Amino acid sequence: MRSDAVTKETPKRALFHALGLTNEEMERPLIGIVSSQNEVVPGHMNLDKIVEAVKLGVAMAGGTPLVFPAIAVCDGIAMGHQGMKYSLVTRELIADSTEAMALAHAFDALVMVPNCDKNVPGLLMAAARLNIPAIFVSGGPMLAGRVDGQKTSFSSVSEAVGAYGAGKITAEKLLEFENKACPTCGSCSGMYTANSMNCLTEVLGMGLPGNGTIPAVYSERLQLAKHAGMQIMKLLEQNIRPRDIMTEDAFRNALTIDMALGCSTNSMLHLPAIAHECGIELNLDIANAVSDRTPNLCHLAPAGHTYIEDLNEAGGVGAVMKEVDKLGLLRTDLITCTGKTVAENIAGCVNRNPEVIRPVENPYSKTGGIAVLRGNLAPDSCVVKRSAVAPGMLRHTGPAKVFDCEEDAMEAINAGEIEPGDVVVIRYEGPKGGPGMREMLNPTSAIMGRGLGDSVALITDGRFSGATRGAAIGHVSPEAAVGGPIALLQNGDMIEIDIMANRINVLLDEEELAARRAAWKPRKPKITTGYLARYASQVTSGNTGAVLKQNSFAD
């Protein structure tokens, strides 16, 4: 066992005795449990209960569980201010600190307990990097809220703010949304980033069936955690490791189900970053090829009016995979953390609600939920959640309204300066330029709340919350901070967007673009000290997953 390095020497054993461990416990495998629990993030407030269940499962199966923490940022609380610069960047902190703890203490295996946003990809990156047996069990999704008898969620609150600002609802109704939209602990109830990544963890094979959809407040979630604790001991015994599970074919499966589910565009940042840690290049060029042959089967919030709890009742991720497998689009002979293959995992899955999970014969669309666009405005690509775009905005040409930060754009939107037909451009918010690639939920929600969602597009070198809907195009690469074409735009430039053809262009000739490029000058970094400055100096482009450059010490 790896843990022999720390449990067989007398001085180290003395320190374990100081923890209260017995000789018997030190004879067993040491299982690290990475807990993202804190009292700040609603999706993480229940993780202490999940961790206790995992510990019991590990102990029942003959292991010695030891818990250590991972940090977590709530994107909703961080949104719209300096805090959002610290959201994406925590992914690398989580991966690095987990690596440090796992190797410093010679754990034999790990159980990862994340839930929201960057914790899931950060811990998947750590699992791939460490490549010791690992399994995931998340905290589970929030139940949907209720307003006027209709299910609702966090994105509804953000849009209600815009509606109130436009005089469409009263202050009393806005307060009702505030009080009722998020009724329980858990990751926000729609197919936002957290739930997207928890569902895709299940598809990748790193989480047990149900990991992505069993609600946080269900006792079944605690049962799942106990089973995860027991299962890690089997993975250790069989020496099944993350890179045995997260193969190139597994990532293709994840991309395929991503398209069927209509996941957050943030998956187009996180899947390449996780693959990178596995030594796999996940080029976004394949995303459109996958999308072209994969039907979109689910319209979960914000794309529609169903929620993760509905997906769970309909059969969960397994039922979606079973539908997609009818078309022969999945590799089903791949090993998973269950110790069984994908085919064995989904064999008994049934689609119990064809309104929540459309059959492949009757999809919402014949193509997937996410599209990658290219053109002279985004030579290295940009990303849009196609399934959440109004049909009339799939093709759009309009004048640019250009802003150099999110705050300036919000001021203009709230002042009524954005008109039907406009294309709002928010730049210098990319991985380097932000730094940190902030999410633009507030601007998109304000646009929707003001009734402009069917007539206004927004493009940015930043990114979007999974709660965003509308013609919101993010991850524009190269970003403005490195002189990408988005930095050259001026007010009034006509921008042509054709999501169905995967194209985005500014209608300027190359001579004009060249002249502007020659006149462009880099801007002074917004932040020059601390972690964000170090991050900005090392981070790569959004189209490569915003991973950090690796320093080489080779001769």
Side-chain angles (χ1 to χ4, degrees), residues 31-38 44 47-48 50-52 54-55 58 65-72 93-103 107 109-115 119-120 122-124 126-127 130 132-139 232:
I31 309 300
I33 302 175
V34 190
S35 172
S36 299
Q37 194 271 339
N38 64 42
H44 290 210
L47 295 190
D48 54 343
I50 303 294
V51 165
E52 287 302 313
V54 171
K55 289 174 66 178
V58 169
L66 294 171
V67 182
F68 64 89
I71 63 168
L93 284 175
I94 292 161
D96 290 350
S97 59
T98 301
E99 173 194 351
M101 286 294 291
L103 293 181
F107 286 111
L110 297 172
V111 182
M112 310 293 200
V113 188
N115 207 26
N119 289 77
V120 183
L123 290 177
L124 282 165
L130 291 163
I132 61 176
I135 195 169
F136 280 65
V137 56
S138 75
I232 191 61

Side-chain angles (χ1 to χ4, degrees), residues 471-554:
I473 300 166
H475 312 186
V476 171
S477 303
E479 62 175 290
V482 298
I486 192 172
L488 311 180
L489 295 179
Q490 298 176 4
N491 285 326
D493 287 345
M494 296 301 291
I495 295 175
E496 181 183 58
I497 300 165
D498 191 335
I499 294 172
M500 298 311 295
N502 307 117
R503 289 199 308 264
I504 183 167
N505 290 292
V506 56
L507 300 182
L508 296 171
D509 58 40
E510 186 52 42
E511 184 178 350
E512 174 63 20
L513 284 172
R516 294 187 188 184
R517 192 173 292 113
W520 178 83
K521 295 181 180 179
R523 298 192 172 202
K524 182 180 178 181
K526 295 177 183 177
I527 295 175
T528 57
T529 61
Y531 176 57
L532 282 181
R534 296 199 304 275
Y535 179 88
S537 71
Q538 292 183 284
V539 71
T540 61
S541 177
N543 70 296
T544 59
V547 298
L548 301 186
K549 297 174 187 172
Q550 297 296 314
N551 292 324
S552 175
F553 298 99

Side-chain angles (χ1 to χ4, degrees), residues 94-176:
I94 292 161
D96 290 350
S97 59
T98 301
E99 173 194 351
M101 286 294 291
L103 293 181
H105 302 101
F107 286 111
D108 296 299
L110 297 172
V111 182
M112 310 293 200
V113 188
N115 207 26
C116 291
D117 298 301
K118 310 313 161 299
N119 289 77
V120 183
L123 290 177
L124 282 165
M125 290 165 67
R129 188 185 303 173
L130 291 163
N131 203 34
I132 61 176
I135 195 169
F136 280 65
V137 56
S138 75
M142 183 184 293
L143 294 179
R146 297 288 195 284
V147 174
D148 297 331
Q150 300 295 315
K151 289 184 179 180
T152 189
S153 62
F154 177 70
S155 58
S156 304
V157 186
S158 298
E159 292 181 12
V161 172
Y164 174 71
K168 294 179 179 292
I169 63 171
T170 64
E172 290 75 17
K173 180 58 66 177
L174 179 62
L175 183 61
E176 186 178 358

Side-chain angles (χ1 to χ4, degrees), residues 291-366:
S291 183
D292 286 346
R293 61 177 180 264
T294 307
N296 178 226
L297 305 182
C298 301
H299 265 194
L300 298 155
H305 300 290
T306 53
Y307 296 81
I308 302 297
E309 64 189 65
D310 301 311
L311 178 61
N312 187 62
E313 295 300 318
V317 173
V320 177
M321 295 178 74
K322 190 71 174 289
E323 283 290 344
V324 172
D325 190 44
K326 292 178 182 178
L327 300 176
L329 298 179
L330 298 177
R331 276 290 302 271
T332 60
D333 58 342
L334 308 178
I335 194 68
T336 71
C337 69
T338 64
K340 301 176 182 178
T341 64
V342 172
E344 291 173 308
N345 288 343
I346 67 174
C349 294
V350 176
N351 182 356
R352 300 188 183 94
N353 189 336
E355 294 303 312
V356 176
I357 305 171
R358 290 276 187 94
V360 291
E361 298 83 8
N362 180 37
Y364 281 102
S365 65
K366 293 181 179 179

Side-chain angles (χ1 to χ4, degrees), residues 190-235:
M191 188 54 81
Y192 308 154
T193 303
N195 291 324
S196 294
M197 293 309 302
N198 283 320
C199 287
L200 294 180
T201 297
E202 191 176 327
V203 181
L204 280 170
M206 291 296 292
L208 296 176
N211 180 69
T213 60
I214 298 171
V217 295
Y218 283 15
S219 298
E220 188 182 357
R221 176 63 59 175
L222 296 178
Q223 295 168 352
L224 186 76
K226 291 174 186 175
H227 283 131
M230 289 185 274
Q231 185 60 26
I232 191 61
M233 299 306 295
K234 294 181 180 178
L235 293 174

